[in-house]
Short mmCIF file of all heavy atoms in Angstrom, two decimals:
data_model
loop_
_atom_site.label_atom_id
_atom_site.label_comp_id
_atom_site.label_asym_id
_atom_site.label_seq_id
_atom_site.Cartn_x
_atom_site.Cartn_y
_atom_site.Cartn_z
N SER C 1577 -20.99 -0.50 -44.21
CA SER C 1577 -21.70 0.38 -43.40
C SER C 1577 -21.53 1.85 -43.89
O SER C 1577 -22.50 2.52 -43.94
CB SER C 1577 -20.99 0.34 -42.01
OG SER C 1577 -21.49 1.37 -41.21
N LEU C 1578 -20.33 2.31 -44.29
CA LEU C 1578 -20.11 3.64 -44.83
C LEU C 1578 -20.95 3.90 -46.12
O LEU C 1578 -21.55 4.83 -46.38
CB LEU C 1578 -18.72 3.86 -45.11
CG LEU C 1578 -17.71 3.92 -43.95
CD1 LEU C 1578 -16.30 3.98 -44.32
CD2 LEU C 1578 -18.12 5.15 -43.12
N GLY C 1579 -21.08 2.77 -46.90
CA GLY C 1579 -21.82 2.85 -48.16
C GLY C 1579 -23.31 3.03 -47.88
O GLY C 1579 -24.10 3.40 -48.81
N LEU C 1580 -23.78 2.72 -46.79
CA LEU C 1580 -25.16 2.97 -46.40
C LEU C 1580 -25.40 4.27 -45.81
O LEU C 1580 -26.52 4.59 -45.33
CB LEU C 1580 -25.63 1.79 -45.41
CG LEU C 1580 -25.75 0.42 -45.98
CD1 LEU C 1580 -26.10 -0.57 -44.93
CD2 LEU C 1580 -26.82 0.38 -47.13
N GLY C 1581 -24.31 5.06 -45.79
CA GLY C 1581 -24.44 6.32 -45.18
C GLY C 1581 -24.35 6.52 -43.69
O GLY C 1581 -24.90 7.38 -43.10
N ALA C 1582 -23.58 5.63 -43.14
CA ALA C 1582 -23.22 5.71 -41.72
C ALA C 1582 -21.98 6.59 -41.56
O ALA C 1582 -21.12 6.58 -42.42
CB ALA C 1582 -23.00 4.32 -41.11
N THR C 1583 -21.92 7.35 -40.53
CA THR C 1583 -20.70 8.08 -40.34
C THR C 1583 -19.61 7.11 -39.67
O THR C 1583 -19.90 6.04 -39.39
CB THR C 1583 -20.86 9.27 -39.15
OG1 THR C 1583 -21.25 8.60 -37.99
CG2 THR C 1583 -22.02 10.09 -39.63
N LYS C 1584 -18.46 7.65 -39.56
CA LYS C 1584 -17.37 6.87 -39.10
C LYS C 1584 -17.50 6.29 -37.74
O LYS C 1584 -17.39 5.16 -37.42
CB LYS C 1584 -16.12 7.65 -39.13
CG LYS C 1584 -14.78 6.84 -38.90
CD LYS C 1584 -13.64 7.52 -39.47
CE LYS C 1584 -12.51 6.53 -39.50
NZ LYS C 1584 -11.31 7.03 -40.23
N SER C 1585 -18.04 7.16 -36.83
CA SER C 1585 -18.20 6.68 -35.47
C SER C 1585 -19.41 5.78 -35.40
O SER C 1585 -19.37 4.84 -34.60
CB SER C 1585 -18.41 7.90 -34.47
OG SER C 1585 -19.62 8.51 -34.75
N GLU C 1586 -20.41 5.95 -36.23
CA GLU C 1586 -21.48 5.02 -36.18
C GLU C 1586 -21.08 3.67 -36.69
O GLU C 1586 -21.49 2.58 -36.20
CB GLU C 1586 -22.70 5.48 -37.17
CG GLU C 1586 -23.59 6.54 -36.50
CD GLU C 1586 -24.44 7.30 -37.58
OE1 GLU C 1586 -24.17 7.21 -38.73
OE2 GLU C 1586 -25.37 7.98 -37.12
N THR C 1587 -20.26 3.72 -37.69
CA THR C 1587 -19.77 2.47 -38.17
C THR C 1587 -18.94 1.66 -37.21
O THR C 1587 -19.10 0.47 -36.95
CB THR C 1587 -18.78 2.77 -39.43
OG1 THR C 1587 -19.57 3.48 -40.38
CG2 THR C 1587 -18.22 1.43 -40.08
N ILE C 1588 -18.04 2.48 -36.56
CA ILE C 1588 -17.22 1.79 -35.41
C ILE C 1588 -18.13 1.29 -34.30
O ILE C 1588 -17.97 0.09 -33.95
CB ILE C 1588 -16.20 2.87 -34.83
CG1 ILE C 1588 -15.23 3.24 -35.87
CG2 ILE C 1588 -15.62 2.26 -33.56
CD1 ILE C 1588 -14.37 4.35 -35.55
N ARG C 1589 -19.09 2.04 -33.90
CA ARG C 1589 -19.89 1.60 -32.72
C ARG C 1589 -20.74 0.43 -33.13
O ARG C 1589 -21.00 -0.59 -32.32
CB ARG C 1589 -20.81 2.80 -32.31
CG ARG C 1589 -21.02 2.83 -30.86
CD ARG C 1589 -21.70 4.11 -30.44
NE ARG C 1589 -22.87 4.39 -31.11
CZ ARG C 1589 -23.05 5.55 -31.85
NH1 ARG C 1589 -22.20 6.46 -31.90
NH2 ARG C 1589 -24.17 5.77 -32.51
N LYS C 1590 -21.38 0.51 -34.35
CA LYS C 1590 -22.44 -0.46 -34.65
C LYS C 1590 -21.91 -1.73 -35.42
O LYS C 1590 -22.57 -2.74 -35.36
CB LYS C 1590 -23.54 0.14 -35.41
CG LYS C 1590 -24.23 1.18 -34.62
CD LYS C 1590 -25.48 1.62 -35.26
CE LYS C 1590 -26.20 2.62 -34.41
NZ LYS C 1590 -27.29 3.41 -35.24
N VAL C 1591 -20.79 -1.52 -36.05
CA VAL C 1591 -20.35 -2.66 -36.88
C VAL C 1591 -18.96 -3.20 -36.44
O VAL C 1591 -18.82 -4.36 -36.25
CB VAL C 1591 -20.33 -2.29 -38.40
CG1 VAL C 1591 -19.74 -3.36 -39.22
CG2 VAL C 1591 -21.69 -1.99 -38.88
N VAL C 1592 -18.05 -2.26 -36.31
CA VAL C 1592 -16.67 -2.82 -36.10
C VAL C 1592 -16.47 -3.33 -34.61
O VAL C 1592 -16.07 -4.48 -34.55
CB VAL C 1592 -15.62 -1.57 -36.26
CG1 VAL C 1592 -14.27 -2.04 -35.98
CG2 VAL C 1592 -15.75 -1.02 -37.67
N ILE C 1593 -16.98 -2.62 -33.65
CA ILE C 1593 -16.93 -3.17 -32.38
C ILE C 1593 -17.62 -4.40 -32.19
O ILE C 1593 -17.06 -5.39 -31.56
CB ILE C 1593 -17.24 -2.06 -31.33
CG1 ILE C 1593 -16.26 -0.83 -31.34
CG2 ILE C 1593 -17.21 -2.57 -29.91
CD1 ILE C 1593 -14.96 -1.08 -30.94
N PRO C 1594 -18.86 -4.47 -32.56
CA PRO C 1594 -19.51 -5.77 -32.34
C PRO C 1594 -18.80 -6.97 -33.04
O PRO C 1594 -18.78 -7.96 -32.53
CB PRO C 1594 -20.99 -5.52 -32.97
CG PRO C 1594 -21.09 -4.15 -32.92
CD PRO C 1594 -19.77 -3.41 -32.97
N ALA C 1595 -18.28 -6.69 -34.26
CA ALA C 1595 -17.57 -7.74 -34.97
C ALA C 1595 -16.31 -8.14 -34.25
O ALA C 1595 -15.84 -9.25 -34.21
CB ALA C 1595 -17.24 -7.41 -36.38
N ALA C 1596 -15.67 -7.12 -33.61
CA ALA C 1596 -14.39 -7.42 -32.82
C ALA C 1596 -14.68 -7.95 -31.40
O ALA C 1596 -13.70 -8.15 -30.69
CB ALA C 1596 -13.56 -6.07 -32.90
N LEU C 1597 -15.85 -7.91 -30.96
CA LEU C 1597 -16.11 -8.04 -29.56
C LEU C 1597 -15.49 -9.35 -28.91
O LEU C 1597 -14.86 -9.26 -27.93
CB LEU C 1597 -17.64 -8.13 -29.23
CG LEU C 1597 -17.98 -7.71 -27.89
CD1 LEU C 1597 -17.47 -6.42 -27.59
CD2 LEU C 1597 -19.46 -7.78 -27.68
N PRO C 1598 -15.60 -10.54 -29.62
CA PRO C 1598 -14.95 -11.74 -28.94
C PRO C 1598 -13.46 -11.46 -28.67
O PRO C 1598 -13.08 -11.74 -27.52
CB PRO C 1598 -15.07 -12.74 -30.09
CG PRO C 1598 -16.18 -12.35 -30.95
CD PRO C 1598 -16.16 -10.95 -30.89
N GLY C 1599 -12.70 -10.86 -29.47
CA GLY C 1599 -11.38 -10.62 -29.23
C GLY C 1599 -11.13 -9.62 -28.23
O GLY C 1599 -10.32 -9.69 -27.33
N VAL C 1600 -12.06 -8.55 -28.14
CA VAL C 1600 -11.88 -7.52 -27.22
C VAL C 1600 -12.20 -8.16 -25.76
O VAL C 1600 -11.50 -7.84 -24.77
CB VAL C 1600 -12.95 -6.33 -27.45
CG1 VAL C 1600 -12.98 -5.42 -26.32
CG2 VAL C 1600 -12.49 -5.67 -28.72
N VAL C 1601 -13.30 -8.89 -25.72
CA VAL C 1601 -13.55 -9.61 -24.40
C VAL C 1601 -12.47 -10.45 -23.98
O VAL C 1601 -11.94 -10.42 -22.76
CB VAL C 1601 -14.83 -10.46 -24.53
CG1 VAL C 1601 -15.08 -11.32 -23.28
CG2 VAL C 1601 -16.09 -9.55 -24.78
N GLY C 1602 -11.80 -11.08 -24.92
CA GLY C 1602 -10.62 -11.98 -24.67
C GLY C 1602 -9.53 -11.03 -24.01
O GLY C 1602 -8.94 -11.51 -22.98
N GLY C 1603 -9.30 -9.93 -24.54
CA GLY C 1603 -8.21 -9.05 -24.07
C GLY C 1603 -8.55 -8.54 -22.69
O GLY C 1603 -7.76 -8.56 -21.90
N ILE C 1604 -9.85 -8.24 -22.45
CA ILE C 1604 -10.24 -7.71 -21.18
C ILE C 1604 -10.05 -8.80 -20.04
O ILE C 1604 -9.55 -8.57 -19.00
CB ILE C 1604 -11.69 -7.27 -21.23
CG1 ILE C 1604 -11.78 -5.94 -22.01
CG2 ILE C 1604 -12.31 -6.96 -19.79
CD1 ILE C 1604 -13.17 -5.46 -22.21
N LEU C 1605 -10.40 -10.07 -20.51
CA LEU C 1605 -10.28 -11.10 -19.48
C LEU C 1605 -8.91 -11.39 -19.18
O LEU C 1605 -8.52 -11.70 -18.04
CB LEU C 1605 -11.04 -12.33 -19.99
CG LEU C 1605 -12.48 -12.11 -19.78
CD1 LEU C 1605 -13.23 -13.19 -20.64
CD2 LEU C 1605 -12.95 -12.27 -18.33
N LEU C 1606 -7.98 -11.29 -20.18
CA LEU C 1606 -6.66 -11.44 -19.92
C LEU C 1606 -6.13 -10.36 -18.90
O LEU C 1606 -5.39 -10.69 -17.96
CB LEU C 1606 -5.82 -11.30 -21.20
CG LEU C 1606 -4.31 -11.70 -21.18
CD1 LEU C 1606 -4.25 -13.32 -21.10
CD2 LEU C 1606 -3.61 -11.15 -22.29
N ALA C 1607 -6.66 -9.21 -19.11
CA ALA C 1607 -6.23 -8.16 -18.16
C ALA C 1607 -6.80 -8.42 -16.86
O ALA C 1607 -6.07 -8.17 -15.92
CB ALA C 1607 -6.86 -6.76 -18.71
N VAL C 1608 -8.08 -8.98 -16.77
CA VAL C 1608 -8.57 -9.24 -15.35
C VAL C 1608 -7.70 -10.25 -14.58
O VAL C 1608 -7.23 -9.98 -13.41
CB VAL C 1608 -9.98 -9.87 -15.48
CG1 VAL C 1608 -10.44 -10.25 -14.14
CG2 VAL C 1608 -10.94 -8.81 -15.96
N SER C 1609 -7.31 -11.28 -15.31
CA SER C 1609 -6.58 -12.35 -14.69
C SER C 1609 -5.14 -11.73 -14.25
O SER C 1609 -4.56 -12.03 -13.17
CB SER C 1609 -6.33 -13.62 -15.50
OG SER C 1609 -5.99 -13.34 -16.79
N ARG C 1610 -4.67 -10.91 -15.09
CA ARG C 1610 -3.44 -10.12 -14.82
C ARG C 1610 -3.65 -9.29 -13.53
O ARG C 1610 -2.76 -9.36 -12.55
CB ARG C 1610 -2.96 -9.25 -15.96
CG ARG C 1610 -1.69 -8.55 -15.77
CD ARG C 1610 -0.58 -9.67 -15.83
NE ARG C 1610 0.53 -9.11 -14.99
CZ ARG C 1610 1.56 -8.38 -15.57
NH1 ARG C 1610 1.58 -8.24 -16.79
NH2 ARG C 1610 2.56 -7.90 -14.81
N ALA C 1611 -4.79 -8.66 -13.45
CA ALA C 1611 -5.05 -7.79 -12.31
C ALA C 1611 -5.13 -8.62 -11.01
O ALA C 1611 -4.67 -8.21 -9.90
CB ALA C 1611 -6.23 -7.03 -12.48
N ILE C 1612 -5.86 -9.71 -11.09
CA ILE C 1612 -6.10 -10.56 -9.90
C ILE C 1612 -4.79 -11.13 -9.45
O ILE C 1612 -4.45 -11.13 -8.26
CB ILE C 1612 -7.10 -11.65 -10.28
CG1 ILE C 1612 -8.46 -11.10 -10.43
CG2 ILE C 1612 -7.07 -12.72 -9.17
CD1 ILE C 1612 -9.44 -12.15 -10.71
N GLY C 1613 -3.87 -11.47 -10.38
CA GLY C 1613 -2.62 -12.04 -9.97
C GLY C 1613 -1.64 -11.01 -9.55
O GLY C 1613 -0.48 -11.50 -9.03
N GLU C 1614 -1.79 -9.78 -9.77
CA GLU C 1614 -0.84 -8.74 -9.50
C GLU C 1614 -0.52 -8.63 -7.99
O GLU C 1614 -1.42 -8.55 -7.23
CB GLU C 1614 -1.25 -7.43 -10.13
CG GLU C 1614 -0.37 -6.28 -9.76
CD GLU C 1614 1.10 -6.57 -10.11
OE1 GLU C 1614 1.35 -7.18 -11.15
OE2 GLU C 1614 1.95 -6.18 -9.23
N THR C 1615 0.76 -8.56 -7.64
CA THR C 1615 1.08 -8.54 -6.25
C THR C 1615 1.77 -7.25 -5.87
O THR C 1615 1.44 -6.57 -4.84
CB THR C 1615 2.07 -9.68 -5.92
OG1 THR C 1615 1.58 -10.85 -6.62
CG2 THR C 1615 2.13 -9.98 -4.46
N MET C 1616 2.82 -6.97 -6.52
CA MET C 1616 3.76 -5.91 -6.08
C MET C 1616 3.11 -4.55 -5.80
O MET C 1616 3.24 -3.98 -4.70
CB MET C 1616 4.84 -5.79 -7.20
CG MET C 1616 6.15 -5.53 -6.66
SD MET C 1616 6.65 -6.84 -5.52
CE MET C 1616 7.39 -5.80 -4.29
N ILE C 1617 2.32 -4.09 -6.72
CA ILE C 1617 1.67 -2.77 -6.59
C ILE C 1617 0.89 -2.77 -5.33
O ILE C 1617 0.86 -1.81 -4.48
CB ILE C 1617 0.71 -2.44 -7.72
CG1 ILE C 1617 1.65 -2.38 -9.06
CG2 ILE C 1617 -0.01 -1.18 -7.51
CD1 ILE C 1617 0.90 -2.07 -10.35
N VAL C 1618 0.12 -3.89 -5.02
CA VAL C 1618 -0.78 -3.95 -3.97
C VAL C 1618 0.03 -3.87 -2.72
O VAL C 1618 -0.33 -3.24 -1.66
CB VAL C 1618 -1.68 -5.15 -4.08
CG1 VAL C 1618 -2.89 -5.05 -3.07
CG2 VAL C 1618 -2.26 -5.32 -5.47
N VAL C 1619 1.08 -4.64 -2.57
CA VAL C 1619 1.92 -4.76 -1.29
C VAL C 1619 2.27 -3.38 -1.03
O VAL C 1619 2.29 -2.83 0.18
CB VAL C 1619 3.17 -5.61 -1.51
CG1 VAL C 1619 4.06 -5.50 -0.39
CG2 VAL C 1619 2.78 -7.04 -1.84
N MET C 1620 2.80 -2.57 -2.06
CA MET C 1620 3.34 -1.31 -1.79
C MET C 1620 2.31 -0.21 -1.58
O MET C 1620 2.52 0.74 -0.81
CB MET C 1620 4.38 -0.94 -2.81
CG MET C 1620 5.48 -1.94 -2.96
SD MET C 1620 6.54 -1.64 -4.40
CE MET C 1620 7.46 -0.29 -3.87
N ALA C 1621 1.18 -0.37 -2.22
CA ALA C 1621 0.24 0.80 -2.22
C ALA C 1621 -1.04 0.56 -1.49
O ALA C 1621 -1.73 1.51 -1.10
CB ALA C 1621 -0.04 1.22 -3.59
#
Side-chain angles (χ1 to χ4, degrees):
Chain C
S1577 172
L1578 293 172
L1580 291 172
T1583 64
K1584 190 158 190 170
S1585 70
E1586 282 166 343
T1587 302
I1588 292 169
R1589 215 172 51 238
K1590 296 192 175 164
V1591 174
V1592 177
I1593 296 294
L1597 205 59
V1600 172
V1601 172
I1604 290 177
L1605 284 162
L1606 190 74
V1608 171
S1609 47
R1610 187 66 210 266
I1612 289 180
E1614 174 51 40
T1615 317
M1616 218 55 221
I1617 295 177
V1618 192
V1619 176
M1620 295 172 80

